[in-house]
Amino acid sequence: MQPPNCGHCLRPAQTSRIARELLEQCRPINLIGGRGQGRARLLDDLMGIDPDIFWLYADLKEHRYRFAGLLETLWDQTGLVGYPPSTLGGLVDKLTAGNRPVCLLLHHFDAILDNPDPNLDAGFDAAFLDTLNALKNRGVSLLCVTRRAYDPYGMLTRSGERRGSTLVLEPEALAPLSQAEIRAELDRCLPGLDANDLDLLAASLLRHRHPLSFLGYVRRRLRDGDVAAWPFDERLSHWEDKYWVRYGGLTTADAVAPRHRIRSWYRALFGRIKPLSTGPIKQLGRRLAGKD
């Protein structure tokens, strides 16, 4: 494999290494990163490296309620004629009939793990994870993106049974953005800003918890001419405040995650979910206080 062309990449060094390990070693990777860090951007950068590679991308958050939709999305990217196969294994059979390297990129892989949602499609079961695990034996590379590492990989079935899987993914944390990487990205996407303004924005992004999301927000504000008469440092401070008001609080997923995990564990252990109630705790408090 020729050295990957990563001049367009947000994280050129990490992206280049991941591309080599995926395509030369068929290393199954679990890319781990938080919201706003550029997970989707790394996937986009990978797909821009070599057009001769079958880069197949799907967002499992979009397809978790319809497994057939996942297969259709992947099939449409192959350029092959006919109807998509009914199984992931069947799709792999079609792809590996040729000599082109194949790499499967699954974003938001968390959406199908430890999920008690009764609407989760039955196709996302332990057998699906086992099929993913077998891809490396077919010469197909796999990269799954999650917000946190999962070990071991498992799935909560509709009946409440927790099923283990042979799926093995090697963790790869998304590297923090360096000052040089941030400045290179700003030079690509905001060439109209003067050097001093670029320095101010780069410093803001370097310390930001969601650097790539905030950069997108700033680009939209600049495009819309928001508070255009203000000095840039005041505009930037204003946008930072506005961003945190709109996006900085806990997301719905963040807020329900602890309870979600408790419900998942309970269902896995007892095969059913009971509402979490504070009644027993209140009763204990009354007894300790001598009021009951």
Side-chain angles (χ1 to χ4, degrees), residues 88-106:
L88 180 61
L91 187 145
V92 173
D93 289 339
K94 297 284 188 180
L95 292 175
T96 54
N99 294 321
R100 286 178 65 181
V102 180
C103 185
L104 179 59
L105 308 174
L106 299 178

mmCIF file with all atom_site columns, all heavy atoms in Angstrom, residues 88-106:
data_model
loop_
_atom_site.group_PDB
_atom_site.id
_atom_site.type_symbol
_atom_site.label_atom_id
_atom_site.label_alt_id
_atom_site.label_comp_id
_atom_site.label_asym_id
_atom_site.label_entity_id
_atom_site.label_seq_id
_atom_site.pdbx_PDB_ins_code
_atom_site.Cartn_x
_atom_site.Cartn_y
_atom_site.Cartn_z
_atom_site.occupancy
_atom_site.B_iso_or_equiv
_atom_site.pdbx_formal_charge
_atom_site.auth_seq_id
_atom_site.auth_comp_id
_atom_site.auth_asym_id
_atom_site.auth_atom_id
_atom_site.pdbx_PDB_model_num
ATOM 1   N N   . LEU A 1 88  ? -25.821 -9.628  6.195  1.00 0.00 ? 88  LEU A N   1
ATOM 2   C CA  . LEU A 1 88  ? -24.516 -8.985  6.064  1.00 0.00 ? 88  LEU A CA  1
ATOM 3   C C   . LEU A 1 88  ? -23.516 -9.950  5.445  1.00 0.00 ? 88  LEU A C   1
ATOM 4   O O   . LEU A 1 88  ? -22.687 -9.552  4.612  1.00 0.00 ? 88  LEU A O   1
ATOM 5   C CB  . LEU A 1 88  ? -24.019 -8.514  7.428  1.00 0.00 ? 88  LEU A CB  1
ATOM 6   C CG  . LEU A 1 88  ? -22.658 -7.821  7.451  1.00 0.00 ? 88  LEU A CG  1
ATOM 7   C CD1 . LEU A 1 88  ? -22.675 -6.564  6.592  1.00 0.00 ? 88  LEU A CD1 1
ATOM 8   C CD2 . LEU A 1 88  ? -22.247 -7.478  8.887  1.00 0.00 ? 88  LEU A CD2 1
ATOM 9   N N   . GLY A 1 89  ? -23.590 -11.220 5.824  1.00 0.00 ? 89  GLY A N   1
ATOM 10  C CA  . GLY A 1 89  ? -22.699 -12.205 5.236  1.00 0.00 ? 89  GLY A CA  1
ATOM 11  C C   . GLY A 1 89  ? -22.874 -12.323 3.739  1.00 0.00 ? 89  GLY A C   1
ATOM 12  O O   . GLY A 1 89  ? -21.895 -12.465 2.992  1.00 0.00 ? 89  GLY A O   1
ATOM 13  N N   . GLY A 1 90  ? -24.128 -12.257 3.277  1.00 0.00 ? 90  GLY A N   1
ATOM 14  C CA  . GLY A 1 90  ? -24.381 -12.311 1.838  1.00 0.00 ? 90  GLY A CA  1
ATOM 15  C C   . GLY A 1 90  ? -23.811 -11.113 1.114  1.00 0.00 ? 90  GLY A C   1
ATOM 16  O O   . GLY A 1 90  ? -23.284 -11.231 -0.003 1.00 0.00 ? 90  GLY A O   1
ATOM 17  N N   . LEU A 1 91  ? -23.890 -9.943  1.749  1.00 0.00 ? 91  LEU A N   1
ATOM 18  C CA  . LEU A 1 91  ? -23.308 -8.748  1.137  1.00 0.00 ? 91  LEU A CA  1
ATOM 19  C C   . LEU A 1 91  ? -21.790 -8.871  1.046  1.00 0.00 ? 91  LEU A C   1
ATOM 20  O O   . LEU A 1 91  ? -21.187 -8.504  0.028  1.00 0.00 ? 91  LEU A O   1
ATOM 21  C CB  . LEU A 1 91  ? -23.703 -7.520  1.956  1.00 0.00 ? 91  LEU A CB  1
ATOM 22  C CG  . LEU A 1 91  ? -23.328 -6.163  1.371  1.00 0.00 ? 91  LEU A CG  1
ATOM 23  C CD1 . LEU A 1 91  ? -24.409 -5.137  1.698  1.00 0.00 ? 91  LEU A CD1 1
ATOM 24  C CD2 . LEU A 1 91  ? -21.994 -5.659  1.913  1.00 0.00 ? 91  LEU A CD2 1
ATOM 25  N N   . VAL A 1 92  ? -21.172 -9.417  2.098  1.00 0.00 ? 92  VAL A N   1
ATOM 26  C CA  . VAL A 1 92  ? -19.720 -9.607  2.082  1.00 0.00 ? 92  VAL A CA  1
ATOM 27  C C   . VAL A 1 92  ? -19.323 -10.578 0.978  1.00 0.00 ? 92  VAL A C   1
ATOM 28  O O   . VAL A 1 92  ? -18.294 -10.401 0.307  1.00 0.00 ? 92  VAL A O   1
ATOM 29  C CB  . VAL A 1 92  ? -19.235 -10.099 3.457  1.00 0.00 ? 92  VAL A CB  1
ATOM 30  C CG1 . VAL A 1 92  ? -17.757 -10.477 3.409  1.00 0.00 ? 92  VAL A CG1 1
ATOM 31  C CG2 . VAL A 1 92  ? -19.458 -9.018  4.511  1.00 0.00 ? 92  VAL A CG2 1
ATOM 32  N N   . ASP A 1 93  ? -20.133 -11.610 0.755  1.00 0.00 ? 93  ASP A N   1
ATOM 33  C CA  . ASP A 1 93  ? -19.844 -12.562 -0.326 1.00 0.00 ? 93  ASP A CA  1
ATOM 34  C C   . ASP A 1 93  ? -19.763 -11.847 -1.667 1.00 0.00 ? 93  ASP A C   1
ATOM 35  O O   . ASP A 1 93  ? -18.873 -12.145 -2.486 1.00 0.00 ? 93  ASP A O   1
ATOM 36  C CB  . ASP A 1 93  ? -20.933 -13.637 -0.391 1.00 0.00 ? 93  ASP A CB  1
ATOM 37  C CG  . ASP A 1 93  ? -20.883 -14.604 0.779  1.00 0.00 ? 93  ASP A CG  1
ATOM 38  O OD1 . ASP A 1 93  ? -19.816 -14.700 1.413  1.00 0.00 ? 93  ASP A OD1 1
ATOM 39  O OD2 . ASP A 1 93  ? -21.907 -15.259 1.054  1.00 0.00 ? 93  ASP A OD2 1
ATOM 40  N N   . LYS A 1 94  ? -20.679 -10.920 -1.909 1.00 0.00 ? 94  LYS A N   1
ATOM 41  C CA  . LYS A 1 94  ? -20.670 -10.178 -3.170 1.00 0.00 ? 94  LYS A CA  1
ATOM 42  C C   . LYS A 1 94  ? -19.424 -9.306  -3.297 1.00 0.00 ? 94  LYS A C   1
ATOM 43  O O   . LYS A 1 94  ? -18.819 -9.202  -4.369 1.00 0.00 ? 94  LYS A O   1
ATOM 44  C CB  . LYS A 1 94  ? -21.919 -9.297  -3.257 1.00 0.00 ? 94  LYS A CB  1
ATOM 45  C CG  . LYS A 1 94  ? -23.231 -10.058 -3.275 1.00 0.00 ? 94  LYS A CG  1
ATOM 46  C CD  . LYS A 1 94  ? -23.489 -10.698 -4.613 1.00 0.00 ? 94  LYS A CD  1
ATOM 47  C CE  . LYS A 1 94  ? -24.883 -11.285 -4.677 1.00 0.00 ? 94  LYS A CE  1
ATOM 48  N NZ  . LYS A 1 94  ? -25.167 -11.932 -5.984 1.00 0.00 ? 94  LYS A NZ  1
ATOM 49  N N   . LEU A 1 95  ? -19.044 -8.665  -2.194 1.00 0.00 ? 95  LEU A N   1
ATOM 50  C CA  . LEU A 1 95  ? -17.928 -7.730  -2.224 1.00 0.00 ? 95  LEU A CA  1
ATOM 51  C C   . LEU A 1 95  ? -16.591 -8.436  -2.387 1.00 0.00 ? 95  LEU A C   1
ATOM 52  O O   . LEU A 1 95  ? -15.692 -7.940  -3.066 1.00 0.00 ? 95  LEU A O   1
ATOM 53  C CB  . LEU A 1 95  ? -17.922 -6.888  -0.951 1.00 0.00 ? 95  LEU A CB  1
ATOM 54  C CG  . LEU A 1 95  ? -19.072 -5.899  -0.776 1.00 0.00 ? 95  LEU A CG  1
ATOM 55  C CD1 . LEU A 1 95  ? -18.991 -5.237  0.581  1.00 0.00 ? 95  LEU A CD1 1
ATOM 56  C CD2 . LEU A 1 95  ? -19.047 -4.853  -1.880 1.00 0.00 ? 95  LEU A CD2 1
ATOM 57  N N   . THR A 1 96  ? -16.430 -9.554  -1.725 1.00 0.00 ? 96  THR A N   1
ATOM 58  C CA  . THR A 1 96  ? -15.139 -10.243 -1.755 1.00 0.00 ? 96  THR A CA  1
ATOM 59  C C   . THR A 1 96  ? -14.953 -11.063 -3.018 1.00 0.00 ? 96  THR A C   1
ATOM 60  O O   . THR A 1 96  ? -13.909 -11.700 -3.186 1.00 0.00 ? 96  THR A O   1
ATOM 61  C CB  . THR A 1 96  ? -14.991 -11.146 -0.518 1.00 0.00 ? 96  THR A CB  1
ATOM 62  O OG1 . THR A 1 96  ? -16.115 -12.036 -0.427 1.00 0.00 ? 96  THR A OG1 1
ATOM 63  C CG2 . THR A 1 96  ? -14.922 -10.302 0.748  1.00 0.00 ? 96  THR A CG2 1
ATOM 64  N N   . ALA A 1 97  ? -15.947 -11.058 -3.914 1.00 0.00 ? 97  ALA A N   1
ATOM 65  C CA  . ALA A 1 97  ? -15.785 -11.778 -5.182 1.00 0.00 ? 97  ALA A CA  1
ATOM 66  C C   . ALA A 1 97  ? -14.746 -11.095 -6.068 1.00 0.00 ? 97  ALA A C   1
ATOM 67  O O   . ALA A 1 97  ? -14.141 -11.722 -6.935 1.00 0.00 ? 97  ALA A O   1
ATOM 68  C CB  . ALA A 1 97  ? -17.127 -11.871 -5.909 1.00 0.00 ? 97  ALA A CB  1
ATOM 69  N N   . GLY A 1 98  ? -14.533 -9.792  -5.857 1.00 0.00 ? 98  GLY A N   1
ATOM 70  C CA  . GLY A 1 98  ? -13.516 -9.066  -6.610 1.00 0.00 ? 98  GLY A CA  1
ATOM 71  C C   . GLY A 1 98  ? -12.226 -8.949  -5.830 1.00 0.00 ? 98  GLY A C   1
ATOM 72  O O   . GLY A 1 98  ? -12.031 -9.587  -4.789 1.00 0.00 ? 98  GLY A O   1
ATOM 73  N N   . ASN A 1 99  ? -11.333 -8.116  -6.328 1.00 0.00 ? 99  ASN A N   1
ATOM 74  C CA  . ASN A 1 99  ? -10.021 -7.952  -5.692 1.00 0.00 ? 99  ASN A CA  1
ATOM 75  C C   . ASN A 1 99  ? -9.865  -6.618  -4.979 1.00 0.00 ? 99  ASN A C   1
ATOM 76  O O   . ASN A 1 99  ? -8.783  -6.324  -4.471 1.00 0.00 ? 99  ASN A O   1
ATOM 77  C CB  . ASN A 1 99  ? -8.911  -8.089  -6.742 1.00 0.00 ? 99  ASN A CB  1
ATOM 78  C CG  . ASN A 1 99  ? -8.839  -9.493  -7.328 1.00 0.00 ? 99  ASN A CG  1
ATOM 79  O OD1 . ASN A 1 99  ? -9.006  -10.473 -6.605 1.00 0.00 ? 99  ASN A OD1 1
ATOM 80  N ND2 . ASN A 1 99  ? -8.613  -9.585  -8.633 1.00 0.00 ? 99  ASN A ND2 1
ATOM 81  N N   . ARG A 1 100 ? -10.928 -5.802  -4.944 1.00 0.00 ? 100 ARG A N   1
ATOM 82  C CA  . ARG A 1 100 ? -10.811 -4.505  -4.287 1.00 0.00 ? 100 ARG A CA  1
ATOM 83  C C   . ARG A 1 100 ? -10.842 -4.666  -2.771 1.00 0.00 ? 100 ARG A C   1
ATOM 84  O O   . ARG A 1 100 ? -11.647 -5.443  -2.232 1.00 0.00 ? 100 ARG A O   1
ATOM 85  C CB  . ARG A 1 100 ? -11.963 -3.597  -4.710 1.00 0.00 ? 100 ARG A CB  1
ATOM 86  C CG  . ARG A 1 100 ? -11.831 -3.057  -6.116 1.00 0.00 ? 100 ARG A CG  1
ATOM 87  C CD  . ARG A 1 100 ? -13.033 -2.197  -6.480 1.00 0.00 ? 100 ARG A CD  1
ATOM 88  N NE  . ARG A 1 100 ? -13.110 -0.991  -5.661 1.00 0.00 ? 100 ARG A NE  1
ATOM 89  C CZ  . ARG A 1 100 ? -14.091 -0.091  -5.793 1.00 0.00 ? 100 ARG A CZ  1
ATOM 90  N NH1 . ARG A 1 100 ? -15.057 -0.278  -6.688 1.00 0.00 ? 100 ARG A NH1 1
ATOM 91  N NH2 . ARG A 1 100 ? -14.107 0.980   -5.035 1.00 0.00 ? 100 ARG A NH2 1
ATOM 92  N N   . PRO A 1 101 ? -9.971  -3.946  -2.056 1.00 0.00 ? 101 PRO A N   1
ATOM 93  C CA  . PRO A 1 101 ? -10.037 -3.973  -0.585 1.00 0.00 ? 101 PRO A CA  1
ATOM 94  C C   . PRO A 1 101 ? -11.372 -3.415  -0.105 1.00 0.00 ? 101 PRO A C   1
ATOM 95  O O   . PRO A 1 101 ? -11.932 -2.492  -0.705 1.00 0.00 ? 101 PRO A O   1
ATOM 96  C CB  . PRO A 1 101 ? -8.871  -3.068  -0.161 1.00 0.00 ? 101 PRO A CB  1
ATOM 97  C CG  . PRO A 1 101 ? -7.988  -2.964  -1.354 1.00 0.00 ? 101 PRO A CG  1
ATOM 98  C CD  . PRO A 1 101 ? -8.873  -3.098  -2.546 1.00 0.00 ? 101 PRO A CD  1
ATOM 99  N N   . VAL A 1 102 ? -11.879 -3.973  0.982  1.00 0.00 ? 102 VAL A N   1
ATOM 100 C CA  . VAL A 1 102 ? -13.168 -3.568  1.539  1.00 0.00 ? 102 VAL A CA  1
ATOM 101 C C   . VAL A 1 102 ? -12.975 -3.151  2.987  1.00 0.00 ? 102 VAL A C   1
ATOM 102 O O   . VAL A 1 102 ? -12.327 -3.854  3.765  1.00 0.00 ? 102 VAL A O   1
ATOM 103 C CB  . VAL A 1 102 ? -14.201 -4.713  1.458  1.00 0.00 ? 102 VAL A CB  1
ATOM 104 C CG1 . VAL A 1 102 ? -15.539 -4.257  2.040  1.00 0.00 ? 102 VAL A CG1 1
ATOM 105 C CG2 . VAL A 1 102 ? -14.366 -5.201  0.027  1.00 0.00 ? 102 VAL A CG2 1
ATOM 106 N N   . CYS A 1 103 ? -13.555 -2.000  3.362  1.00 0.00 ? 103 CYS A N   1
ATOM 107 C CA  . CYS A 1 103 ? -13.499 -1.531  4.742  1.00 0.00 ? 103 CYS A CA  1
ATOM 108 C C   . CYS A 1 103 ? -14.885 -1.057  5.156  1.00 0.00 ? 103 CYS A C   1
ATOM 109 O O   . CYS A 1 103 ? -15.474 -0.197  4.500  1.00 0.00 ? 103 CYS A O   1
ATOM 110 C CB  . CYS A 1 103 ? -12.488 -0.398  4.897  1.00 0.00 ? 103 CYS A CB  1
ATOM 111 S SG  . CYS A 1 103 ? -12.277 0.115   6.619  1.00 0.00 ? 103 CYS A SG  1
ATOM 112 N N   . LEU A 1 104 ? -15.403 -1.640  6.239  1.00 0.00 ? 104 LEU A N   1
ATOM 113 C CA  . LEU A 1 104 ? -16.719 -1.302  6.754  1.00 0.00 ? 104 LEU A CA  1
ATOM 114 C C   . LEU A 1 104 ? -16.573 -0.336  7.923  1.00 0.00 ? 104 LEU A C   1
ATOM 115 O O   . LEU A 1 104 ? -15.892 -0.628  8.911  1.00 0.00 ? 104 LEU A O   1
ATOM 116 C CB  . LEU A 1 104 ? -17.436 -2.580  7.204  1.00 0.00 ? 104 LEU A CB  1
ATOM 117 C CG  . LEU A 1 104 ? -18.837 -2.428  7.800  1.00 0.00 ? 104 LEU A CG  1
ATOM 118 C CD1 . LEU A 1 104 ? -19.793 -1.774  6.807  1.00 0.00 ? 104 LEU A CD1 1
ATOM 119 C CD2 . LEU A 1 104 ? -19.364 -3.795  8.247  1.00 0.00 ? 104 LEU A CD2 1
ATOM 120 N N   . LEU A 1 105 ? -17.225 0.834   7.813  1.00 0.00 ? 105 LEU A N   1
ATOM 121 C CA  . LEU A 1 105 ? -17.165 1.875   8.832  1.00 0.00 ? 105 LEU A CA  1
ATOM 122 C C   . LEU A 1 105 ? -18.556 2.041   9.437  1.00 0.00 ? 105 LEU A C   1
ATOM 123 O O   . LEU A 1 105 ? -19.503 2.427   8.738  1.00 0.00 ? 105 LEU A O   1
ATOM 124 C CB  . LEU A 1 105 ? -16.712 3.207   8.219  1.00 0.00 ? 105 LEU A CB  1
ATOM 125 C CG  . LEU A 1 105 ? -15.417 3.178   7.393  1.00 0.00 ? 105 LEU A CG  1
ATOM 126 C CD1 . LEU A 1 105 ? -15.181 4.537   6.733  1.00 0.00 ? 105 LEU A CD1 1
ATOM 127 C CD2 . LEU A 1 105 ? -14.231 2.790   8.255  1.00 0.00 ? 105 LEU A CD2 1
ATOM 128 N N   . LEU A 1 106 ? -18.693 1.747   10.740 1.00 0.00 ? 106 LEU A N   1
ATOM 129 C CA  . LEU A 1 106 ? -19.987 1.812   11.419 1.00 0.00 ? 106 LEU A CA  1
ATOM 130 C C   . LEU A 1 106 ? -19.937 2.891   12.488 1.00 0.00 ? 106 LEU A C   1
ATOM 131 O O   . LEU A 1 106 ? -19.294 2.726   13.527 1.00 0.00 ? 106 LEU A O   1
ATOM 132 C CB  . LEU A 1 106 ? -20.337 0.453   12.033 1.00 0.00 ? 106 LEU A CB  1
ATOM 133 C CG  . LEU A 1 106 ? -20.479 -0.705  11.043 1.00 0.00 ? 106 LEU A CG  1
ATOM 134 C CD1 . LEU A 1 106 ? -20.789 -1.999  11.781 1.00 0.00 ? 106 LEU A CD1 1
ATOM 135 C CD2 . LEU A 1 106 ? -21.559 -0.413  9.998  1.00 0.00 ? 106 LEU A CD2 1
#
